[in-house]
Amino acid sequence: MLDIIETIQQLTNIPSPTGYTAEIIGFLDENLKKKGYQPERNHKGSLMVTVKGNEDHKRRFVTAHIDTLGAMVRAIKPDGRLKIELIGGFTYHSIDGEYCTIHSAATGKEWTGTILLHQTSVHVYKDARTAERSQDNMEIRLDAEVHSAKDVASLGIGVGDFISFAPRTEITPSGYIKSRHLDDKASAAILLQFLHRIADENLMLPYTTCFFFSNNEEIGYGGNSNMPPHTMEYLAVDMGAMGDDQQTDEYTVSICVKDGSGPYHFGLRQQLVGLCESKAIPYKLDIYPFYGSDASAAMKAGWDVRHALIGPGIDASHAYERTHRKSLDACASLLEAYLSAPIIEKKKKKKGIFNGKVKENK
């Protein structure tokens, strides 16, 4: 069986800022084909695997996203440094000093560099310690001898070229994994691991389930346009965010009760809680105030499905992130428990009350 942390390390080392995800989608496509699956790609470049279950009329839809934070070349400065445009919701100070790669659209070549504050040197700039990090003063120092915009253009680097951040993935003996892009490659690895188990052990799910690897989550699109008919439930597997007033930690699975879009489906949430308690899966309930997911995007798109969100607890989200094997295992256990459980539907009442009067249903 796939080792979850090693799989995460493999995924984080494939550059995939939103809009530049063909390589990682190709990797997943080939990986799943070797297990006998027939993945489908949509026009946006996402990947879906449909696993037939005992019942086809009721379906489940499960997502994790493989697109990450990143940037684009905004402009080339006269001295040969690059200005950047952010892709995704993160702060400039979280990438100050980070190594990066510029992917030339013109030549297909890659050039490395470092993201720095323009006035970084404390020996030269009086405001090096206090200057605000912004698009105006953050730049890329290329690892190439360039002295002008013309020199940069001669390398094939231009406006609109994608920029990926070095993941710096490290695995500690104590079970932690530290890396950029655990959001959401940790969850993508969990889905991939479970798909391998289904194939290796000939598991039969109670319902046909679509596993969707979306590639536009960080900019809010979500994985919704290819949801098949008869889908009743939508589970997004994404990170659990840690911080002040949060219960989420690095050792349990986080179940989101509300994010920036509003509450998640109460009945489905309660089913997930019940599965955790009955199977002794450590969990936390939490609210993510400045957050959106593939599932919440489905709600905004008008889909009539029950939606939920679970994920491993991630520290320092949208920066240099960290989680622990315990949290990954708890999330994987809840995913399997949920996909093996029946869909719980609300029973219709035989009697209803209208305007204070009891009316028999016919």
Side-chain angles (χ1 to χ4, degrees), residues 177-179 181-183 314-322:
I177 179 167
K178 304 184 291 184
S179 179
H181 315 316
L182 296 180
D183 172 24
I314 303 292
D315 186 51
S317 61
H318 281 197
Y320 188 50
E321 299 162 341
R322 191 184 78 166

Side-chain angles (χ1 to χ4, degrees), residues 11-24:
L11 294 178
T12 56
N13 279 289
I14 301 175
S16 59
T18 306
Y20 192 78
T21 57
E23 182 181 356
I24 194 167

Side-chain angles (χ1 to χ4, degrees), residues 113-178:
T114 306
I115 302 169
L116 296 167
L117 177 72
H118 174 76
Q119 53 270 46
T120 288
S121 176
V122 296
H123 299 97
V124 178
Y125 299 100
K126 185 178 181 180
D127 62 343
R129 294 182 175 86
T130 59
E132 178 187 0
R133 274 63 175 165
S134 69
Q135 189 182 72
D136 293 332
N137 59 12
M138 295 296 289
E139 61 190 20
I140 292 177
R141 178 187 66 196
L142 284 171
D143 296 328
E145 186 174 350
V146 292
H147 305 281
S148 66
K150 184 178 180 181
D151 291 340
V152 175
S154 70
L155 300 178
I157 295 174
V159 171
D161 283 346
F162 282 94
I163 301 163
S164 59
F165 306 145
R168 292 190 288 133
T169 307
E170 292 187 15
I171 301 167
T172 73
S174 52
Y176 292 99
I177 179 167
K178 304 184 291 184

Side-chain angles (χ1 to χ4, degrees), residues 236-253:
V237 188
D238 208 329
M239 67 168 181
M242 294 171 55
D244 292 345
D245 296 328
Q246 302 296 110
Q247 294 192 100
T248 297
D249 59 31
E250 297 171 89
Y251 315 104
T252 60
V253 58

Side-chain angles (χ1 to χ4, degrees), residues 180-249:
R180 286 193 179 274
H181 315 316
L182 296 180
D183 172 24
D184 186 34
K185 290 182 176 178
S187 300
I190 289 171
L191 262 61
L192 189 62
Q193 182 192 57
F194 189 53
L195 283 165
H196 275 235
R197 277 200 60 206
I198 292 171
D200 292 342
E201 301 175 21
N202 293 315
L203 300 180
M204 176 60 72
L205 301 179
Y207 307 98
T208 294
T209 302
C210 296
F211 294 81
F212 193 88
F213 296 92
S214 68
N215 65 344
N216 287 287
E217 194 275 347
E218 292 293 357
I219 55 174
Y221 290 1
N224 308 309
S225 58
N226 293 75
M227 202 182 306
H230 311 306
T231 300
M232 298 186 67
E233 294 182 345
Y234 191 127
L235 179 70
V237 188
D238 208 329
M239 67 168 181
M242 294 171 55
D244 292 345
D245 296 328
Q246 302 296 110
Q247 294 192 100
T248 297
D249 59 31

